[in-house]
Amino acid sequence: MTASLQKPALQPNAEPIIKAVDVHKNFGSFHALRGVNMTVQPGEVVVIIGPSGSGKSTFIRTINRLEEHDKGTIIVDGIELKEGQNLDAIRREVGMVFQSFNLFPHLTVLQNVALAPMRVRKTPKAHAEKQAMELLTRVGIEEQALKFPAQLSGGQQQRVAIARALAMEPKVMLFDEPTSALDPEMIKEVLDVMKGLARSGMTMLCVTHEMGFAREVADRLVFFDEGNIVEDTTPEEFYNNPKHERAKAFLSKVL
Ligand code: ADP
Ligand code: MG
């Protein structure tokens, strides 16, 4: 992935990849999402920030059905997420990378990346492994292919997790604080892979407080507070002129 690659132009009139309308989620009596609205166009990179507990993870987890929303509508690439929905169909569309890498410890790096295409897409093993090697090359760790996750650094493991998600050829990639469990010297290698992905035209929804990443590649920045989006703007506008009091207070802490 070359960092200098020019990202394809966004097409504002294209059918959105994600359309969330008035999404609510309760955990018992706790109202975690309170009417979230968000539209994401193909190729858009949206960074989500906000205080701890504001619903960022809950929201992105509803997009691939790790959480079921209680009210409202979520449409992903034309598929409405609802009860009885075929989860495989959604998870083929949406890749996800978590703070904890969640690799299978008993499988090699190569097997971790090749597994889902073989299981879900019925890709023959030889082909799945060839694709997996290409993805490992893309994230810069092809020489680790035959190692087990525990033999890799955190940054390398997170790059395997990204390759594993990409192996399903998703239409959207979700990232939930992918660098917050990493030592500082490993954060850059993961952000560089994410920047390359952003510039390749991948549609991305990223919960991250990495401001440099947001400024460099985000088309939009949304600020969550108490279960809702209170600002939805460009990174520049957000940093230079945050409108909401909570956003101002938040920025003064993270910058
Ligand atoms: P964020 O990612 O912005 O830090 P979360 O989406 O993880 O916030 O959580 C939003 C709120 O919902 C928090 O108060 C959290 O405690 C609560 N919550 C999240 N998941 C659950 C759950 N499975 N059960 C109960 N409460 C939850
Ligand atoms: Mg979270």
Side-chain angles (χ1 to χ4, degrees), residues 140-156:
I141 40 173
E142 65 277 21
E143 68 283 6
Q144 314 295 339
L146 301 180
K147 291 188 181 166
F148 288 91
Q151 296 172 280
L152 270 55
S153 71
Q156 289 172 327

Side-chain angles (χ1 to χ4, degrees), residues 90-157:
I90 295 305
R91 306 236 165 106
R92 265 198 286 262
E93 305 272 330
V94 184
M96 181 143 181
V97 174
F98 304 86
Q99 178 175 336
S100 53
F101 326 118
N102 298 347
L103 298 173
F104 301 113
H106 59 293
L107 298 181
T108 65
V109 163
L110 185 73
Q111 288 167 335
N112 262 280
V113 179
L115 185 69
M118 287 165 58
R119 287 263 172 89
V120 182
R121 287 192 187 274
K122 310 295 176 208
T123 306
K125 182 164 181 259
H127 186 61
E129 291 191 345
K130 180 170 171 287
Q131 281 182 326
M133 275 312 293
E134 287 167 7
L135 286 168
L136 290 173
T137 304
R138 188 169 170 191
V139 301
I141 40 173
E142 65 277 21
E143 68 283 6
Q144 314 295 339
L146 301 180
K147 291 188 181 166
F148 288 91
Q151 296 172 280
L152 270 55
S153 71
Q156 289 172 327
Q157 290 190 54

Side-chain angles (χ1 to χ4, degrees), residues 27 30 32 50-59 67 176-177 207:
F27 293 110
F30 182 73
S52 178
S54 57
K56 305 179 301 293
S57 295
T58 304
F59 178 68
E67 297 286 359
D176 194 358
E177 305 206 31
V207 180

Side-chain angles (χ1 to χ4, degrees), residues 1 16 76 103 111 142 223 231 252:
M1 267 190 254
V76 178
L103 298 173
Q111 288 167 335
E142 65 277 21
F223 183 80
E231 292 211 31
S252 70

Side-chain angles (χ1 to χ4, degrees), residues 39-252:
T39 303
V40 181
Q41 294 300 126
E44 238 185 334
V45 176
V46 179
V47 161
I48 298 176
I49 66 171
S52 178
S54 57
K56 305 179 301 293
S57 295
T58 304
F59 178 68
I60 69 165
R61 288 164 63 87
T62 63
I63 305 295
N64 74 344
R65 211 69 179 149
L66 281 175
E67 297 286 359
E68 294 181 10
H69 56 291
D70 296 319
K71 183 168 168 273
T73 310
I74 303 176
I75 299 171
V76 178
D77 197 30
I79 305 172
E80 183 173 349
L81 308 191
K82 51 190 173 195
E83 241 176 287
Q85 180 68 56
N86 177 354
L87 284 179
D88 277 354
I90 295 305
R91 306 236 165 106
R92 265 198 286 262
E93 305 272 330
V94 184
M96 181 143 181
V97 174
F98 304 86
Q99 178 175 336
S100 53
F101 326 118
N102 298 347
L103 298 173
F104 301 113
H106 59 293
L107 298 181
T108 65
V109 163
L110 185 73
Q111 288 167 335
N112 262 280
V113 179
L115 185 69
M118 287 165 58
R119 287 263 172 89
V120 182
R121 287 192 187 274
K122 310 295 176 208
T123 306
K125 182 164 181 259
H127 186 61
E129 291 191 345
K130 180 170 171 287
Q131 281 182 326
M133 275 312 293
E134 287 167 7
L135 286 168
L136 290 173
T137 304
R138 188 169 170 191
V139 301
I141 40 173
E142 65 277 21
E143 68 283 6
Q144 314 295 339
L146 301 180
K147 291 188 181 166
F148 288 91
Q151 296 172 280
L152 270 55
S153 71
Q156 289 172 327
Q157 290 190 54
Q158 193 59 300
R159 285 185 285 156
V160 176
I162 295 172
R164 183 175 64 172
L166 291 174
M168 290 297 284
E169 299 175 12
K171 298 264 179 63
V172 185
M173 285 283 285
L174 308 177
F175 291 87
D176 194 358
E177 305 206 31
T179 58
S180 46
L182 297 177
D183 291 335
E185 69 270 22
M186 291 169 194
I187 291 177
K188 182 178 181 299
E189 67 192 45
V190 171
L191 291 178
D192 282 348
V193 168
M194 292 171 63
K195 286 176 194 171
L197 199 56
R199 292 188 176 113
S200 76
M202 176 63 79
T203 307
M204 294 165 63
L205 211 50
C206 312
V207 180
T208 180
H209 293 142
E210 291 292 337
M211 296 301 175
F213 173 82
R215 277 175 188 261
E216 249 183 84
V217 297
D219 298 296
R220 272 162 58 205
L221 190 145
V222 303
F223 183 80
F224 264 71
D225 190 43
E226 296 185 346
N228 221 330
I229 294 175
V230 298
E231 292 211 31
D232 184 343
T233 181
T234 62
E236 286 304 311
E237 179 68 15
F238 183 79
Y239 298 127
N240 296 334
N241 188 21
K243 305 237 166 4
H244 200 273
E245 282 309 318
R246 296 295 293 265
K248 284 181 198 167
F250 181 79
L251 266 180
S252 70

